[in-house]
């Protein structure tokens, strides 16, 4: 990278850090322990539950910015203060992506943050137990005839008898990353199983032309809102099919996405915009771009579909330049905001796509978007105590709210856009020793790159899943062998007689009609985890 860009990046990273600390310190000073900061009145409010949500959401961002001391301090505060045994109605979707995702990510980054670790990390640890507690509180929502979850759950009492069965598509299909991570780390398959069951049930409801709608009745499987698109209410379902396929090396999830993608390209894409269409007929229902759709170019880049990703990004970036932010809804035919949807709550999606596309192409257009975003947010949204959502991009009126995703996602993606050698990108140069050991005997290689971001930008390390999963499998194999050896059936013959010298004496002659049975444990036995290794890759029997 040219020297002048390095210098520019250094100053931009400093500005992004000071933006983070202005928001973060304002939350601590004025809003903690409430969920969110109200930046116009300098106080706090509970929004998605009552568990200091901004602190959980911002925890891994602290480490991304290099602040290990504050990460350690906050991690121990959360362990002491957060309690999920509370009589609160919580969004199943939001609690999963923000709380479970945030705690899992912090748990997996704990070693890099210099925290004291339990033996066997990352397969155990206090933050992992907190994530598991939070996720367990969500499980009652999945106890439905279809396996698709309710949208809201009471953390103390489960699902209310009067709870509506109507929920959005993303609220059914955005669990596989967090729940599979939990299952693989803890060895409890329940979480991954319910997430998969929900995904398969949703897959069965697609229309004859291969599209899903926006809201579904999870009991009857009838589509209540039949608009099909890639934005609000659907977005992270598609995101999790792709990222789940990558993280779990899962062909089923990938083929689901590819089938959807063909239908999406066929029915909803016009001039590199994506419109909303009727899910059964494919006729245009809303010729609108929603700011939440701006994640799509980044997702396409993960699949290598760069040409269309670049063109779609340019469309979205032109809207940003028109307003200094992305309005929630933008009418494509009129080229202007939509009534009552003129706000910009400091969302991250366009910056997220810029980060992925810059990694994929090296094109400085994406850095320019980052500079524009930094300037816009500083100029329009900054208040004496934090940053406020923009109520109306036409006249820059502000709203008294700072969403926790501003610290979890917007600032994190902005920082990562300008720091190409960050450990989350794989540490820059190969073999620079940025990886770390994990597992019972330190035999797992962790943190070597390939992090998967959940839809709240919480990075998950896929290597950790295989670390714990493999040990469980090995232990299970050993347990099965020992159990077989201890079965009464396997010991039906009397033990061989001992000779005077103490060695076993057994006739090697077979009786008539008898077959030679191989011993249960035949030598030599290789270590379970290293059946065969070539060029540093380890292959097990089931590879």
């Amino acid at each position: 990278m040219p020297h002048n860009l390095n210098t520019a990046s250094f100053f931009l990273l400093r500005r992004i850090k000071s933006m983070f600390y202005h928001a973060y310190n304002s939350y601590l000073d004025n809003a903690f322990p409430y969920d969110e900061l109200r930046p116009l009145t300098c106080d706090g409010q509970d929004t998605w539950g009552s568990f200091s949500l901004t602190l959980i959401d911002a925890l891994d961002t602290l480490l991304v910015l290099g602040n290990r001391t504050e990460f350690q301090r906050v991690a121990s505060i959360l362990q002491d203060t957060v309690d999920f045994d509370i009589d609160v109605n919580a969004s199943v979707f939001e609690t999963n992506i923000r709380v479970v995702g945030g705690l899992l990510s912090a748990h997996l980054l704990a070693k890099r943050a210099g925290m004291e670790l339990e033996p066997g990390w990352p397969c155990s640890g206090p933050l992992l137990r907190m994530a598991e507690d939070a996720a367990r509180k969500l499980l009652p929502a999945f106890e439905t005839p279809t396996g698709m979850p309710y949208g809201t759950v009471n953390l103390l009492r489960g699902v209310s008898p009067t709870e509506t069965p109507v929920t959005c598509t993303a609220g059914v299909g955005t669990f596989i990353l967090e729940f599979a991570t939990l299952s693989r780390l803890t060895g409890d398959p329940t979480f991954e199983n319910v997430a998969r069951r929900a995904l398969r049930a949703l897959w069965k409801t697609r229309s004859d032309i291969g599209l899903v709608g926006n809201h579904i009745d999870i009991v009857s499987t009838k589509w209540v809102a039949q608009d099909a698109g890639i934005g609000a209410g659907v977005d992270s379902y598609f995101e999790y099919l792709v990222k789940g396929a990558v993280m779990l090396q899962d062909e089923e999830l990938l083929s689901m996405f590819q089938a959807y993608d063909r239908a999406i390209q066929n029915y909803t894409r016009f001039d590199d915009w994506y419109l909303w269409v009727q899910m059964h007929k494919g006729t245009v229902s809303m010729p609108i771009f929603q700011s939440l759709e701006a994640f799509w170019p980044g997702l396409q880049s993960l699949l290598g579909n760069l040409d269309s990703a670049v063109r779609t990004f340019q469309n979205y970036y032109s809207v940003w330049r028109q307003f200094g932010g992305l309005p929630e809804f933008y009418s494509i035919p009129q080229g202007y905001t939509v009534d009552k949807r003129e706000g910009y709550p400091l969302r991250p999606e366009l910056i997220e796509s810029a980060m992925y596309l810059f990694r994929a192409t090296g094109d400085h257009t994406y850095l320019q978007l980052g500079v524009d975003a930094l300037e816009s947010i500083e100029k329009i949204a900054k208040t004496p105590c934090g940053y406020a959502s923009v109520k109306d991009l036409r006249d820059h009126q502000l709203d008294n709210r700072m969403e926790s995703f501003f610290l979890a996602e917007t600032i994190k993606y902005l920082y990562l856009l300008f720091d190409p050698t960050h450990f989350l990108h794989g540490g820059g140069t190969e073999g620079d020793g940025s990886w770390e050991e994990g597992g019972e005997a330190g035999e797992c290689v962790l943190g070597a790159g390939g992090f998967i971001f959940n839809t709240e930008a919480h990075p998950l390390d896929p290597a950790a899943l295989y670390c714990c999963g493999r040990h469980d499998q090995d232990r299970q194999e050993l347990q099965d062998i020992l159990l077989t050896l201890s079965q009464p059936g396997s010991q039906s013959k009397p033990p061989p007689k001992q000779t005077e010298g103490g060695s076993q004496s057994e006739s090697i002659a077979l009786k008539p009609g008898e077959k030679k049975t191989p011993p249960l444990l035949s030598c030599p036995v290789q270590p379970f985890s290293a059946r065969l290794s070539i060029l540093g890759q380890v292959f097990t029997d089931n590879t």
Side-chain angles (χ1 to χ4, degrees):
M1 188 174 282
H3 173 71
N4 61 342
L5 183 58
N6 274 335
T7 314
S9 289
F10 173 74
F11 287 113
L12 286 164
L13 290 171
R14 274 210 338 216
R15 283 182 65 188
I16 295 162
K17 274 187 181 178
S18 65
M19 174 188 271
F20 174 83
Y21 286 112
H22 177 60
Y24 175 76
N25 292 331
S26 296
Y27 166 77
L28 285 183
D29 294 344
N30 301 290
F32 177 76
Y34 290 103
D35 279 343
E36 287 179 1
L37 169 71
R38 298 204 306 168
L40 302 184
T41 47
C42 298
D43 55 11
Q45 62 179 350
D46 280 336
T47 48
W48 294 112
S50 185
F51 18 65
S52 308
L53 181 64
T54 296
L55 207 52
I56 295 176
D57 234 0
L59 180 53
D60 59 17
T61 310
L62 285 164
L63 189 68
V64 170
L65 304 186
N67 192 338
R68 294 168 58 158
T69 359
E70 183 64 0
F71 179 99
Q72 291 174 22
R73 189 184 78 88
V74 170
S76 58
I77 286 176
L78 291 173
Q79 287 167 49
D80 294 341
T81 60
V82 174
D83 179 14
F84 298 116
D85 279 321
I86 47 175
D87 188 2
V88 161
N89 295 324
S91 159
V92 180
F93 170 84
E94 299 290 353
T95 306
N96 176 54
I97 66 168
R98 302 190 198 211
V99 178
V100 179
L103 291 168
L104 281 174
S105 171
H107 164 71
L108 291 173
L109 295 171
K111 182 165 191 173
R112 194 173 289 273
M115 288 185 71
E116 211 173 295
L117 301 173
E118 290 183 5
W121 174 92
C123 313
S124 69
L127 293 169
L128 177 61
R129 285 190 289 278
M130 283 179 74
E132 187 181 357
D133 284 349
R136 247 177 232 296
K137 295 291 188 179
L138 306 180
L139 288 179
F142 290 83
E143 291 164 15
T144 64
T146 60
M148 294 192 275
Y150 283 99
T152 305
V153 72
N154 183 286
L155 297 181
L156 209 53
R157 294 193 296 270
V159 178
S160 158
T162 58
E163 180 58 35
T164 172
V166 176
T167 191
C168 69
T169 311
V172 174
T174 309
F175 294 92
I176 192 67
L177 291 184
E178 298 82 2
F179 277 29
T181 300
L182 258 181
S183 282
R184 307 285 177 101
L185 294 181
T186 62
D188 181 350
T190 310
F191 302 104
E192 184 171 346
N193 289 346
V194 299
R196 282 189 184 276
R197 186 174 173 228
L199 281 176
R200 286 173 183 145
L202 191 52
W203 171 245
K204 287 184 190 146
T205 65
R206 65 199 188 286
S207 71
D208 292 344
I209 59 173
L211 295 169
V212 284
N214 204 280
H215 278 74
I216 191 169
D217 183 315
I218 53 125
V219 175
S220 71
T221 71
K222 293 274 184 295
W223 284 100
V224 177
Q226 302 192 351
D227 300 296
I230 58 169
V234 191
D235 47 5
S236 52
Y237 169 41
F238 296 140
E239 179 188 354
Y240 273 40
L241 289 177
V242 173
K243 291 178 175 177
V246 175
M247 184 166 89
L248 304 169
Q249 297 293 291
D250 191 303
E251 288 181 24
E252 181 190 8
L253 301 182
L254 187 60
S255 64
M256 283 177 179
F257 178 79
Q258 286 168 333
Y260 281 130
D261 197 31
R262 284 192 291 273
I264 288 162
Q265 301 301 333
N266 202 5
Y267 291 101
T268 76
R269 181 174 159 195
F270 295 88
D271 285 342
D272 299 304
W273 295 96
Y274 291 84
L275 313 183
W276 289 82
V277 302
Q278 211 282 342
M279 66 177 285
H280 296 290
K281 300 179 192 140
T283 50
V284 175
S285 59
M286 288 189 296
I288 276 168
F289 158 58
Q290 300 180 350
S291 66
L292 282 168
E293 295 169 16
F295 82 101
W296 187 258
L299 192 69
Q300 289 287 323
S301 81
L302 285 179
L303 294 157
N305 302 332
L306 278 179
D307 290 348
S308 73
V310 164
R311 290 196 300 272
T312 298
F313 182 91
Q314 289 300 347
N315 283 344
Y316 297 171
Y317 188 15
S318 70
V319 177
W320 180 288
R321 286 196 302 265
Q322 188 178 343
F323 296 101
L326 287 185
E328 292 287 68
F329 285 23
Y330 176 84
S331 166
I332 297 163
Q334 292 169 347
Y336 208 62
T337 55
V338 172
D339 191 40
K340 305 275 191 298
R341 293 285 189 278
E342 305 91 350
Y344 170 56
L346 311 182
R347 289 197 188 279
E349 284 76 15
L350 194 63
I351 302 164
E352 172 189 355
S353 280
M355 181 197 78
Y356 283 113
L357 286 168
F358 181 61
R359 299 284 303 158
T361 67
D363 185 335
H364 287 198
T365 305
Y366 305 109
L367 298 180
Q368 187 56 54
L369 175 270
V371 174
D372 290 356
L374 187 57
E375 300 287 356
S376 282
I377 294 168
E378 283 287 351
K379 186 166 178 251
I380 300 170
K382 191 171 187 177
T383 73
C385 55
Y387 291 85
S389 295
V390 183
K391 187 192 278 187
D392 192 329
L393 276 169
R394 297 168 304 176
D395 59 8
H396 297 170
Q397 281 181 68
L398 298 179
D399 219 348
N400 195 15
R401 186 170 187 191
M402 185 179 82
E403 292 254 20
S404 71
F405 59 64
F406 177 63
L407 294 177
E409 299 186 75
T410 310
I411 289 177
K412 187 184 288 142
Y413 283 132
L414 203 48
Y415 192 85
L416 291 171
L417 171 62
F418 290 108
D419 187 359
T421 61
H422 198 278
F423 75 84
L424 286 175
H425 293 317
T429 51
E430 268 186 73
D432 67 353
S434 70
W435 57 275
E436 49 202 21
E437 294 175 344
E440 294 282 342
E443 67 275 63
C444 298
V445 174
L446 299 172
F451 286 88
I452 306 284
F453 292 93
N454 88 336
T455 196
E456 190 77 2
H458 294 305
L460 301 170
D461 184 355
L465 279 62
Y466 297 95
C467 180
C468 304
R470 197 181 73 214
H471 295 305
D472 282 349
Q473 197 181 327
D474 293 349
R475 277 195 292 272
Q476 191 60 50
E477 279 182 42
L478 191 56
Q479 204 177 343
D480 290 347
I481 288 169
L482 294 171
L483 273 173
T484 318
L485 286 169
S486 65
Q487 293 296 324
S490 66
Q491 299 290 345
S492 52
K493 282 182 276 193
K497 294 185 188 105
Q498 299 278 320
T499 60
E500 281 166 54
S503 63
Q504 292 184 348
S505 157
E506 192 179 319
S507 166
I508 57 166
L510 291 176
K511 295 187 179 71
E514 193 179 16
K515 284 189 180 152
K516 178 110 172 105
T517 52
L520 277 162
L521 283 170
S522 54
C523 291
V525 175
Q526 294 160 294
F528 284 109
S529 58
R531 310 269 186 219
L532 172 66
S533 94
I534 302 170
L535 297 175
Q537 282 183 288
V538 175
F539 297 91
T540 52
D541 277 356
N542 56 2
T543 298

